[in-house]
Amino acid sequence: MADTFRRTVVRSRDLFVVELHFHDLALDGSGSRLIPTAGGEPLIVAHLPPQHLAEQVFEKDAETDVAPVAASYSAELSRVAFRLPSTVISVPLQLDALLDLLQTCELRVVDAALPRSDDPSPPGCIVGFIPWIANLFGPPGPALRPPRLDETSLEVPWRLILSPPSSAGFIHLPRPFDSAAGRSELWHSQLGIVPGTLGDLDAADRSVRAVWLRTGDEGNPFNPNAPTPIDTAVGTNGFVTTLAPGERQQIVHLSANFRARRLPKPVQIYPRAILVKRMALTSQGATVNLAGEWTPPAELSLAEWVHRSSVGRDTYVRTEHVGWLFPFGHRARFIKISERHFDDRPAQAALIRQICFVMPLERVRTYAVPDAPEPRLARQMPLRRVEVLTRITTPIECPTTFDAFEIQLPSGAPFPFDLHAADAVSGGNPADIRMPLWFVFQGQDPQKAIDGFSKDAWPLDGDGSQVTGGVPFDIVGDPSLPPGDSTWRVRSVTWSATKTAPSSGATPPAPFYPIATRISLRIPAAEAISGGDADTTVVFHTRYLDHGLDPGQNPGALVADMSASAIPLAFDGKADRTGGLVRPDLSLTGLSRTVGPVGGPDLDAIANGNFNPSDFFKGANAPKLFGAIPLDGVLTAMGLHDGGKPRAPRIQVEPDGSATMRWEPLLRDYPTTKPVFVTTGASRFTLTVRTPAAPTAVAAHLECNLESFGIHLVPGFEAIEIDFDHARFTVDAGKPDVDVVLKDDGVRFVGPLSFVETLQRIIPLDGFSDPPSVHVDAHGAEAGFSLGVPSLTLGIFSLENISFGAGFLIPFDERSMSVKFNFCTRSEPFLLTVSALGGGGFFLIEIDAAGVKRLEAALEFGASLSMNFGVASGGVHVMAGVYFAYDSTKGAALTGYFRVGGNVTALGIVSVSIELYLGLAYEFSSGKALGKATLTIEVEVFLFSASVEISCERKFAGSKGDPTLLQVMAPYDKDSDVGVSASPVGFEIQDGEWPFETYWNAYG
């Protein structure tokens, strides 16, 4: 078909501008009429100026001092193709007659521009795949393609090509319409339901379809076999318009992609025409009122589109997209409204302002275990019901992409949604939550939300404040299990989601499933024991995720792993809470449904139903009995339950909020040879803590009991053996009480101390009432003795003030079990005299389980001799002393001196004295020994006196001393002087050059 004739018409009176193309029409002989050509299809195509101007939109609340300049793009020319009726034999070349004729003509349109009555409907079949089969073998439907030059193409709005059905028509006045004031109405042609009939404004038959999308390139934006991936950009060419590229793209699919009916069910499209309340074409632009409403398939999200323009300028545009609130998957709508507003400020233009909302559509979602995509996901979702209380958001910040975005206020702060959640316990433990959420558009990959979302949900009190102490919640979430065994005080939950396989349906479920990635807990019983906050963050253990609570695969019922933030039950400085019987710095690293909090690095062993105290109590601060005996050494590896009793520490939170910890492990000798801790057949250890439900109450009950055991101090040396009937420590209402009872013959001094065995007869062993040498209080049990020895004199030898002492300490506080021996004391040293020589000293050693705790020793000796020969007299003296002290916390100290001197006086006139002093001290700060020598000479003649003193000092290197010869003579290194010779200042040296070479070059 070729163009045979065209004319451009401009009528200034009513601004009528059109270029008419006449197809298969030829001029007659008179030149005043057009005659259809033989065998052709006579058409008249009216080419109109651009009908739409796409303008930049701005945020609704954005304010500037100067009116912003809105960028814009103009649409291409639009055209309406009229098919002449077969009854027409000629066309007059008169404008009025032509316009009258065109009102009676049907339209020539693309194949996809079907009337609204041809909207396909899914077959009403029960089996889901039958509709797809029916469409597969039925007519394929028209394909999407760009309109040809002889087909109707209306670019309203920008880049979106609309077309009414062929049965429609355009209604207009053939001549200008003048008002009484002499003004002419702007010429316009309105879309009617049929040629010559405009129809009611709400007529359901007046419709259009978006048959093509002009992208600005020559490529085909639509795959004929499947929807093209939807563009998620918000704007085009650097600015935002009322419709995003992906929205225009979806409008085409949803209104005219008939062939998508043959696609698999998740992406099947049953197009729906766009209703037209008004469409008027003018030379200045179109005035339209369009409304499209769809149920988008799983790959698309646009559910509603309302577009109002006046003379080519948008006045109101609303789009609504379906999607989900992330991470809980509630169905929701994203609403975007672009509206032209006149500002109150002078000189401000009527700009298009944009505002966005999110409206939840689904109020309540339930998460029954059988409904989960897979059991592993069900185990990571402890909630069974989540209700969204927020009905619609306040205005939010419009997203930058249409895939997934965090719902934020215009200020950039997250919008807080109010939620109400319940766990799987019968009746549901309730919790009100306020937390930010994301919106995921239907048809988009939720991975962006999964990567970007990491929010903690805190339970709220009635006044909206956070319940930082937590609320009872069952983190296992299996309603078939007894309540309470996995209920803990949850402070917060960190939520995310896992992608799931897409599914079909009119309202497909979210392509993700919520999971709790971390749970912040409080364990009140642990707080009662340690006296501090017992907060931890747990993650679900892989054994639980893979096998649940299957007794064959997870006999220990291990649920959660809290190794990353283990709860330390630290008793450092708090041994009064257990009377010193147990002073553990143990760590809780996991949660078992049957045992409660469990510890140790090997949680797989717990999952297998085993408990090894050595794993539970490890580390530099491993727990001690009496501050000295490793607790894991006296406990036997066993199952979580042995003889019907829980053998691992078990902390149970009751439904009323109270908590109880019970522990009754099995005991053994430690070490296995020459034991310090000795058990009997009746040995038993129990620890019980009960804390009330009220968090402010102090009336916690604690009882630590150790029965029928013995302590043998210094094994191998065999010094003291103590046999206990029991050692019990209790705390009731904050008041501690100690009860220690020894067995008959409970204290025995053996080996080198057996000679003081008589001490046993004076110690009452039924409770340590208060003997002279035994003292028991809340801090420990302490016993000791001191034995004096009579002075010994033999000729010129005399030894006086002799005593021996020994004692032991069993602490109930931070101290360690220890034993000490002494020979005399610092305040009462022994005295030794041999003729003219004399001296004294003492010795003390204290030993605990770690070794020597304290050691002190001192010796001092000297002599003095005087002589007189009449004409001369004099004397000499020699004195020396040494003191050594060692403390395990302070280190060693050593001091000593030697002094020798003499004096001579002749005839009482001349006197000379001389003294030499030698001293030696150890400097702990520098690790050096300091030696000092002083020689003092004094001469006195009559009334004249003079003295001379000569001193010298010498330091001797120690562990922190001067560099070694190897360090001094090592090769030079320009960049480092650690472990190598430093570079000499002023010398140009090379790496690897030897110091001796430097010396040789300088002086050789």
Side-chain angles (χ1 to χ4, degrees):
M1 181 179 296
D3 291 343
T4 59
F5 194 74
R6 67 180 63 183
R7 284 288 184 271
T8 300
V9 179
V10 178
R11 191 168 62 190
S12 59
R13 183 175 172 185
D14 57 358
L15 300 181
F16 173 55
V17 178
V18 65
E19 183 176 292
L20 299 174
H21 291 204
F22 300 92
H23 297 264
D24 290 332
L25 292 168
L27 284 171
D28 64 359
S30 65
S32 61
R33 303 184 71 86
L34 294 171
I35 307 299
T37 59
E41 184 181 14
L43 298 174
I44 300 177
V45 181
H47 292 258
L48 301 172
Q51 295 297 302
H52 187 260
L53 188 70
E55 297 179 67
Q56 182 180 3
V57 301
F58 299 89
E59 294 181 9
K60 184 177 186 300
D61 296 326
E63 293 185 3
T64 58
D65 295 333
V66 180
V69 178
S72 62
Y73 281 103
S74 174
E76 297 288 342
L77 298 178
S78 290
R79 59 183 176 270
V80 181
F82 297 93
R83 180 186 289 113
L84 296 181
S86 59
T87 57
V88 174
I89 59 175
S90 67
V91 176
L93 283 178
Q94 296 176 347
L95 181 59
D96 295 351
L98 276 175
L99 293 178
D100 273 334
L101 175 62
L102 294 180
Q103 291 189 90
T104 63
C105 297
E106 288 190 345
L107 306 180
R108 181 178 175 85
V109 298
V110 296
D111 297 337
L114 297 177
R116 186 169 182 267
S117 58
D118 287 347
D119 284 346
S121 298
C125 299
I126 300 175
V127 183
F129 64 89
I130 292 182
W132 174 67
I133 294 178
N135 286 317
L136 181 64
F137 292 100
L144 290 172
R145 61 173 178 83
R148 297 190 300 267
L149 291 176
D150 59 353
E151 294 174 327
T152 300
S153 175
L154 304 176
E155 188 174 338
V156 183
W158 177 59
R159 287 192 170 179
L160 192 64
I161 308 302
L162 303 184
S163 176
S166 61
S167 58
F170 277 90
I171 313 301
H172 44 257
L173 296 177
R175 289 169 294 278
F177 178 79
D178 298 326
S179 67
R183 296 185 180 91
S184 297
E185 181 184 63
L186 178 68
W187 182 89
H188 57 279
S189 181
Q190 298 190 65
L191 179 66
I193 57 175
V194 295
T197 302
L198 181 63
D200 296 334
L201 293 180
D202 296 327
D205 294 338
R206 185 188 292 108
S207 65
V208 294
R209 296 186 190 270
V211 296
W212 194 247
L213 178 63
R214 186 176 63 82
T215 59
D217 55 34
E218 298 178 358
N220 185 346
F222 300 105
N223 186 330
N225 297 318
T228 307
I230 300 302
D231 191 343
T232 59
V234 172
T236 304
N237 297 333
F239 64 88
V240 177
T241 58
T242 55
L243 284 181
E247 292 175 321
R248 292 190 289 266
Q249 195 175 349
Q250 292 192 56
I251 291 172
V252 175
H253 282 302
L254 293 168
S255 66
N257 192 352
F258 290 90
R259 293 200 170 184
R261 292 178 300 168
R262 306 184 67 169
L263 299 177
K265 193 168 186 180
V267 292
Q268 281 180 351
I269 298 176
Y270 292 89
R272 294 289 180 269
I274 301 165
L275 296 180
V276 180
K277 288 193 175 182
R278 186 179 186 189
M279 175 177 280
L281 308 179
T282 76
S283 62
Q284 306 301 306
T287 298
V288 298
N289 187 348
L290 310 174
E293 188 172 354
W294 303 279
T295 301
E299 296 295 320
L300 306 177
S301 64
L302 186 63
E304 188 172 345
W305 171 46
V306 174
H307 202 116
R308 299 172 191 162
S309 295
S310 180
V311 196
R313 299 291 190 95
D314 290 337
T315 58
Y316 178 88
V317 179
R318 185 179 80 248
T319 57
E320 297 188 16
H321 295 258
V322 293
W324 303 275
L325 297 178
F326 185 93
F328 297 110
H330 292 80
R331 194 77 168 167
R333 279 202 179 196
F334 167 72
I335 304 171
K336 182 186 68 172
I337 298 176
S338 303
E339 191 170 10
R340 190 178 298 276
H341 287 276
F342 285 89
D343 293 332
D344 296 333
R345 292 165 295 173
Q348 290 284 30
L351 300 174
I352 301 177
R353 304 288 187 174
Q354 192 172 87
I355 189 171
C356 299
F357 304 88
V358 169
M359 181 176 66
L361 299 177
E362 189 176 18
R363 181 163 183 167
V364 178
R365 276 189 63 81
T366 57
Y367 308 90
V369 173
D371 297 338
E374 56 178 290
R376 185 182 178 90
L377 293 182
R379 297 178 188 122
Q380 295 179 81
M381 179 54 177
L383 302 180
R384 288 297 165 261
R385 184 179 185 273
V386 176
E387 178 181 359
V388 180
L389 303 179
T390 302
R391 304 316 306 146
I392 190 170
T393 67
T394 58
I396 64 171
E397 183 177 4
C398 294
T400 57
T401 57
F402 283 170
D403 45 14
F405 67 95
E406 183 179 9
I407 304 172
Q408 296 180 339
L409 296 169
S411 63
F415 179 86
F417 280 83
D418 289 320
L419 310 174
H420 182 78
D423 63 6
V425 174
S426 178
N429 286 315
D432 289 323
I433 300 170
R434 181 174 296 132
M435 64 179 293
L437 300 176
W438 279 50
F439 185 90
V440 176
F441 286 84
Q442 182 173 290
Q444 297 299 321
D445 189 343
Q447 190 62 48
K448 180 179 177 181
I450 294 173
D451 295 338
F453 184 91
S454 181
K455 303 297 181 183
D456 293 337
W458 291 75
L460 299 179
D461 207 340
D463 60 357
S465 61
Q466 293 179 355
V467 184
T468 56
V471 297
F473 242 74
D474 186 349
I475 68 172
V476 170
D478 189 345
S480 65
L481 299 173
D485 287 351
S486 51
T487 299
W488 305 94
R489 297 196 70 85
V490 174
R491 299 182 69 243
S492 67
V493 180
T494 302
W495 293 100
S496 185
T498 297
K499 284 198 295 186
T500 57
S503 57
S504 60
T507 55
F512 53 85
Y513 193 81
I515 59 173
T517 58
R518 294 190 303 272
I519 302 176
S520 176
L521 300 174
R522 283 184 59 243
I523 302 181
E527 294 176 351
I529 300 168
S530 64
D533 292 338
D535 294 346
T536 185
T537 299
V538 306
V539 297
F540 291 109
H541 195 269
T542 54
R543 184 74 66 93
Y544 170 70
L545 295 179
D546 293 338
H547 305 289
L549 299 175
D550 183 357
Q553 299 292 335
N554 188 7
L558 185 66
V559 173
D561 183 345
M562 53 185 178
S563 302
S565 59
I567 297 178
L569 297 187
F571 282 70
D572 185 18
K574 305 167 188 169
D576 57 320
R577 294 181 179 272
T578 56
L581 301 183
V582 181
R583 290 168 48 196
D585 282 340
L586 54 94
S587 293
L588 303 177
T589 57
L591 292 177
S592 165
R593 195 176 198 277
T594 56
V595 177
V598 293
D602 189 5
L603 289 178
D604 284 331
I606 300 294
N608 292 329
N610 301 321
F611 173 69
N612 189 347
S614 296
D615 291 337
F616 195 87
F617 305 115
K618 273 187 175 181
N621 295 322
K624 303 289 195 299
L625 282 175
F626 306 113
I629 302 172
L631 184 59
D632 66 312
V634 303
L635 302 179
T636 303
M638 65 205 83
L640 292 176
H641 291 80
D642 192 321
K645 296 181 180 179
R647 295 302 183 182
R650 180 177 183 182
I651 301 178
Q652 179 66 48
V653 178
E654 307 298 340
D656 63 354
S658 64
T660 303
M661 174 177 175
R662 297 182 181 89
W663 189 24
E664 188 174 340
L666 297 176
L667 300 175
R668 64 177 176 178
D669 291 351
Y670 176 82
T672 55
T673 60
K674 297 181 180 180
V676 175
F677 182 84
V678 182
T679 61
T680 68
S683 295
R684 184 168 175 259
F685 172 71
T686 58
L687 178 64
T688 303
V689 179
R690 289 190 295 273
T691 180
T696 58
V698 297
H701 174 83
L702 182 146
E703 181 175 326
C704 184
N705 187 31
L706 191 58
E707 300 178 5
S708 187
F709 65 98
I711 300 293
H712 293 183
L713 288 181
V714 197
F717 183 68
E718 297 179 351
I720 301 175
E721 296 179 353
I722 309 170
D723 292 337
F724 289 82
D725 179 76
H726 66 262
R728 183 178 299 120
F729 182 83
T730 58
V731 176
D732 255 323
K735 297 179 180 180
D737 183 50
V738 179
D739 179 18
V740 179
V741 176
L742 300 183
K743 293 182 179 180
D744 295 338
D745 300 329
V747 178
R748 295 185 300 280
F749 293 89
V750 296
L753 299 183
S754 59
F755 65 93
V756 294
E757 181 63 17
T758 55
L759 181 66
Q760 179 180 352
R761 292 193 296 270
I762 68 171
I763 300 176
L765 304 178
D766 59 351
F768 291 121
S769 58
D770 193 14
S773 58
V774 177
H775 178 70
V776 178
D777 58 19
H779 300 288
E782 189 171 4
F785 74 93
S786 179
L787 180 64
V789 178
S791 300
L792 176 63
T793 302
L794 183 60
I796 63 173
F797 177 88
S798 176
L799 184 61
E800 305 174 24
N801 202 28
I802 308 170
S803 66
F804 294 90
F808 69 87
L809 170 67
I810 303 295
F812 301 152
D813 54 20
E814 298 301 313
R815 298 169 295 171
S816 175
M817 177 177 59
S818 64
V819 61
K820 66 181 178 180
F821 304 92
N822 65 279
F823 175 67
C824 301
T825 64
R826 185 200 297 244
S827 60
E828 296 183 0
F830 68 86
L831 301 176
L832 175 62
T833 304
V834 181
S835 186
L837 304 176
F842 71 95
F843 174 81
L844 177 143
I845 184 171
E846 184 176 356
I847 303 172
D848 61 12
V852 176
K853 182 179 181 181
R854 186 161 58 106
L855 175 64
E856 279 188 283
L859 290 175
E860 187 177 18
F861 56 90
S864 177
L865 179 62
S866 299
M867 296 172 289
N868 192 334
F869 298 101
V871 295
S873 64
V876 296
H877 63 272
V878 179
M879 298 296 294
V882 64
Y883 170 79
F884 177 78
Y886 170 78
D887 187 286
S888 59
T889 60
K890 299 179 181 179
L894 175 65
T895 57
Y897 68 90
F898 175 77
R899 186 172 73 249
V900 60
N903 63 84
V904 177
T905 301
L907 301 175
I909 299 174
V910 178
S911 176
V912 179
S913 65
I914 183 172
E915 183 180 69
L916 176 65
Y917 171 84
L918 299 175
L920 185 66
Y922 183 74
E923 292 184 350
F924 295 103
S925 60
S926 64
K928 297 176 181 290
L930 174 65
K932 183 177 182 180
T934 303
L935 179 64
T936 304
I937 302 174
E938 184 177 1
V939 179
E940 184 177 347
V941 180
F942 290 110
L943 300 177
F944 173 78
S945 175
S947 64
V948 177
E949 183 177 288
I950 302 173
S951 298
C952 67
E953 293 184 359
R954 177 67 176 173
K955 284 188 177 181
F956 304 92
S959 60
K960 301 179 182 178
D962 299 327
T964 65
L965 179 63
L966 178 61
Q967 291 173 323
V968 172
M969 299 303 293
Y972 289 130
D973 189 331
K974 287 183 176 181
D975 300 325
S976 174
D977 60 359
V978 179
V980 296
S981 298
S983 304
V985 178
F987 280 78
E988 184 66 27
I989 58 97
Q990 301 296 325
D991 285 344
E993 186 176 339
W994 290 82
F996 184 78
E997 295 176 0
T998 304
Y999 174 82
W1000 180 265
N1001 294 333
Y1003 301 103

